[in-house]
Amino acid sequence: MLFMEFSKSCEKLEGISGRLEMIDLISTVLPNLAPEELPIFVRFVMGRIFPDWSAQKLGIGPNLLNEAIGYVAGIKKEQVIEKINQTGDVGQAVEELLMEKSMTTFFHEELDLVRVYHELVGIAEMEGKKSQREKILAVRRLLGNAHPLEGRYLARIMLEELRIGVGEGSVREAIAKAFSVESTLVEHAMQALNDSGEVARLAKIGPDALIDVHITPFHPVRMMLAQQGAISDMIAEHGQIAAEYKYDGSRFQFHKKGNWARMYSRRLEDVTGALPDVIEQLLGSTDHDVILDGEVIAIKDGKPMPFQSVLRRFRRRHDVAEATVAIELVPNVFDILWLDGETLIDLPLTERRKKLESFVKMFIAPQVVSSDAAVIENVYADAIAAGHEGIMIKVPASPYSPGQRGKNWIKIKPEVDTLDLAVIGAEWGEGKRAHAFGSFLVACQDEGKLIPLSRVATGFSDEQLAEVYGLLKDTVIAKSGKEVTFEPSLVFEVGYAELQASTNYNGGFALRFPRFIRIRDDKDLPDIETLESIRDRYKRQANSAQAYKA
Ligand code: AMP
């Protein structure tokens, strides 16, 4: 396929807003493509160059692209930027610039789809000191041979922003229609392969090729996700359910073949280099070839630390060895997607779990299966007491659905906590709330003294703000700029996500995400929270890994 034909398809698609029409159009193009063209067309039309499992990047930012465009159009980079600002779109800017230029140029080498793809792969693979220069030269070569319309889509593809509105769903339906295969088969193959392009190639071969898809080690699969729900509903619907701790760390997917292993993050980035200790632990946990799904948590003095500590390790590029000593990471494996060449995602959880327990020796997250709500509630209580986030409930008969946030995995976490606190000060509101107080300083008590703890500015309706203003306006005892101080009388119930150690307030604590819940007119100042009880809460919370400061 010529790149010009591809560009014309894009132009048509750009003019269509209806999804069905888009699907129709794509489905008429696909059957005419050669097997090696199909994956490229499908990815390009979604504005992607590489398969979704691939971490490969083209490595061309707007700066580099603008420089190359300037060269080809015979103008300065600044003028290119001006043109882009004028048109609001790099594609249109390139098209217009190439149009002006083509008045003076007569020679073009014809670009075809496969060649463009290979050139782009070549650009992505350029590494080292001189790579920036080489990349610019390669982009110049491509744009130099492009007709204006081709330039429009080439530039957008290079920035991976095609903006013609073709998403994965439309591509799935178009593949199904083009090759007369079931769309559920296409979807399933997409989940296993994580590459719509390759799925199109298989669909052309026939339904059997789609049925026979296998996960490929080192091509990460999207993670299955969870919804919120309730234990009682899950038992009512499924009878027996499986409960596991919900670890507050970072999701991982571990791929191992022989002694070669890689680790991928929730966003499917390759994080192997940052986590040599975890890789080693998992390599030692099995002699088999596997793909495992799990959550890494950080441990200090035997207790889980909050997920920020884990994230810090995931992002580490330098001094990894030092970091492994400072923050100990432990994997918790809760699923297996592939074992010794066999794809397991369609097996029920119960079967996958059996394989996991038989073939992996360590780091398996404990699981309790029961239809008794009291048993599951106990797992939940144990999880919180041991410092975890809550529990995950899973349907024993369910397959592993990559990328899906369905009802087969349900998360159960505690509600946010609340504190009753005295209102000791406020700041005047702004805009339409300028006639009332907008943000409030709230305090706990310590041996008869009021200790400021937090500011609360969210969670109020206009009516509540008016009511609070009415109650407080005659209690102002001092003013300073926009700030006022009250003779304390009113108690607020304040919700928060987390208690944090802080030097901002004398008590040594601050609230994360404080939110007004309601006025506690049933409470007086002696009833408000004490600093001591807040310290206790903080300790409990540190135990439950939610507020520990690394
Ligand atoms: P959330 O991020 O709140 O939507 O919760 C889902 C996340 O919980 C998953 O993506 C995992 O990172 C994490 N998680 C922790 N423990 C488990 C578990 N036992 N099973 C599945 N996911 C878990």
Side-chain angles (χ1 to χ4, degrees):
M1 177 183 232
L2 291 178
F3 195 72
M4 185 48 121
E5 279 176 75
F6 168 76
S7 305
K8 284 184 179 157
S9 302
C10 288
E11 192 183 25
K12 279 194 209 143
L13 287 165
E14 211 172 345
I16 297 175
S17 57
R19 190 165 168 265
L20 289 179
E21 237 182 301
M22 275 190 183
I23 293 169
D24 259 358
L25 199 152
I26 301 172
S27 70
T28 54
V29 177
L30 295 182
N32 305 322
L33 295 172
E36 74 273 19
E37 290 172 335
L38 261 172
I40 303 172
F41 179 92
V42 164
R43 285 184 217 132
F44 276 11
V45 87
M46 288 193 286
R48 297 180 197 152
I49 301 170
F50 303 105
D52 279 347
W53 54 260
S54 165
Q56 196 155 29
K57 293 261 176 301
L58 191 62
I60 293 177
N63 201 20
L64 202 150
L65 182 63
N66 294 345
E67 198 171 324
I69 297 169
Y71 178 86
V72 173
I75 57 174
K76 290 211 183 78
K77 190 165 87 180
E78 290 67 32
Q79 291 169 288
V80 176
I81 295 172
E82 213 171 286
K83 187 84 180 171
I84 296 172
N85 289 340
Q86 248 172 38
T87 54
D89 164 40
V90 65
Q92 201 180 326
V94 170
E95 184 174 14
E96 287 179 20
L97 290 171
L98 290 183
M99 241 182 247
E100 287 162 25
K101 190 210 157 207
S102 60
M103 316 266 181
T104 56
T105 327
F106 301 101
F107 178 73
H108 280 289
E109 237 180 86
E110 241 165 6
L111 292 175
D112 76 50
L113 195 70
V114 175
R115 169 167 165 212
V116 169
Y117 173 69
H118 286 303
E119 294 262 0
L120 293 178
V121 171
I123 293 174
E125 283 169 354
M126 290 171 182
E127 274 178 12
K129 264 198 199 151
K130 291 192 188 144
S131 65
Q132 287 300 92
R133 185 82 207 128
E134 286 170 2
K135 280 181 195 239
I136 293 195
L137 290 178
V139 175
R140 273 194 212 166
R141 236 185 356 257
L142 268 174
L143 284 176
N145 280 318
H147 288 278
L149 188 67
E150 292 175 313
R152 170 168 169 176
Y153 296 108
L154 200 50
R156 290 197 199 158
I157 285 177
M158 286 196 275
L159 295 179
E160 300 205 49
E161 275 180 34
L162 195 61
R163 294 205 230 157
I164 58 171
V166 178
E168 221 168 70
S170 307
V171 161
R172 181 187 62 224
E173 297 308 317
I175 294 174
K177 192 162 182 203
F179 302 112
S180 309
V181 287
E182 293 282 336
S183 117
T184 48
L185 263 188
V186 178
E187 184 177 16
H188 178 259
M190 280 178 165
Q191 288 184 357
L193 297 177
N194 205 6
D195 176 6
S196 317
E198 175 64 6
V199 171
R201 198 183 64 80
L202 294 177
K204 189 179 171 84
I205 299 172
D208 289 349
L210 284 179
I211 293 168
D212 194 35
V213 287
H214 296 280
I215 294 181
T216 312
F218 312 112
H219 290 188
V221 173
R222 286 186 204 167
M223 313 266 174
M224 179 161 174
L225 300 169
Q227 275 185 16
Q228 257 153 3
I231 296 172
S232 51
D233 294 346
M234 290 295 277
I235 290 179
E237 193 171 338
H238 303 284
Q240 288 216 321
I241 53 175
E244 297 161 6
Y245 288 172
K246 183 173 193 305
Y247 303 95
D248 190 11
S250 277
R251 188 79 176 265
F252 71 81
Q253 202 175 91
F254 173 77
H255 291 221
K256 168 183 180 292
K257 206 170 173 193
N259 284 328
W260 181 249
R262 311 299 295 169
M263 182 120 180
Y264 304 94
S265 70
R266 181 181 173 128
R267 296 170 58 206
L268 310 188
E269 292 151 331
D270 188 331
V271 288
T272 313
L275 304 167
D277 44 344
V278 185
I279 304 281
E280 203 172 309
Q281 296 178 77
L282 288 171
L283 266 174
S285 75
T286 180
D287 296 330
H288 292 265
D289 294 344
V290 287
I291 297 180
L292 304 175
D293 184 9
E295 182 100 351
V296 168
I297 55 172
I299 298 282
K300 194 168 182 179
D301 304 327
K303 295 209 180 99
M305 290 163 72
F307 78 102
Q308 288 90 337
S309 325
V310 187
L311 268 191
R312 229 169 280 152
R313 281 287 315 277
F314 265 61
R315 294 197 185 124
R316 198 89 182 192
R317 298 268 179 277
H318 309 289
D319 305 325
V320 171
E322 282 163 38
T324 55
V325 178
I327 303 176
E328 185 195 344
L329 294 186
V330 178
N332 294 280
V333 178
F334 46 73
D335 222 315
I336 180 162
L337 315 189
W338 182 87
L339 172 70
D340 295 329
E342 194 192 345
T343 296
L344 308 180
I345 57 174
D346 299 319
L347 295 182
L349 173 62
T350 332
E351 297 297 315
R352 301 200 304 278
R353 180 83 194 178
K354 273 189 207 147
K355 301 227 185 237
L356 185 62
E357 287 171 0
S358 329
F359 293 94
V360 177
K361 296 194 289 275
M362 282 175 289
F363 305 115
I364 300 181
Q367 192 187 68
V368 172
V369 179
S370 173
S371 54
D372 181 347
V375 171
I376 305 290
E377 296 282 358
N378 260 339
V379 180
Y380 177 76
D382 289 349
I384 300 292
H388 301 295
E389 223 191 335
I391 53 172
M392 296 287 296
I393 305 273
K394 299 179 178 177
V395 176
S398 64
Y400 188 96
S401 317
Q404 305 293 304
R405 193 182 285 285
K407 289 209 166 117
N408 286 331
W409 284 16
I410 294 294
K411 53 188 169 189
I412 316 269
K413 293 199 268 188
E415 298 291 325
V416 279
D417 259 337
T418 63
L419 294 170
D420 296 324
L421 301 166
V423 186
I424 59 169
E427 207 177 309
W428 286 97
E430 289 183 10
K432 72 179 171 86
R433 291 180 163 179
H435 55 282
F437 303 125
S439 116
F440 300 84
L441 186 62
V442 289
C444 61
Q445 60 173 328
D446 187 32
E447 295 174 355
K449 277 193 290 210
L450 288 169
I451 314 285
L453 190 68
S454 180
R455 286 200 169 272
V456 185
T458 55
F460 299 92
S461 65
D462 286 347
E463 289 73 13
Q464 283 169 328
L465 278 182
E467 184 190 358
V468 170
Y469 180 69
L471 291 168
L472 289 173
K473 68 180 191 322
D474 296 330
T475 67
V476 175
I477 49 174
K479 295 180 186 170
S480 156
K482 292 189 78 182
E483 297 270 351
V484 296
T485 307
F486 302 120
E487 172 67 37
S489 60
L490 196 62
V491 177
F492 279 178
E493 185 179 343
V494 177
Y496 65 95
E498 196 176 79
L499 273 169
Q500 293 178 315
S502 163
T503 48
N504 289 347
Y505 297 106
N506 287 342
F509 297 104
L511 301 184
R512 186 156 171 246
F513 303 135
R515 184 167 54 93
F516 172 80
I517 306 283
R518 59 191 160 135
I519 297 171
R520 290 302 300 251
D521 39 18
D522 56 330
K523 291 215 167 180
D524 288 318
L525 289 185
D527 301 320
I528 65 169
E529 211 75 30
T530 62
L531 189 56
E532 203 187 345
S533 80
I534 290 175
R535 268 193 211 112
D536 277 345
R537 279 178 186 242
Y538 182 73
K539 269 190 223 143
R540 258 181 284 138
Q541 195 194 257
N543 284 342
S544 68
Q546 290 180 10
Y548 191 99
K549 280 232 146 190

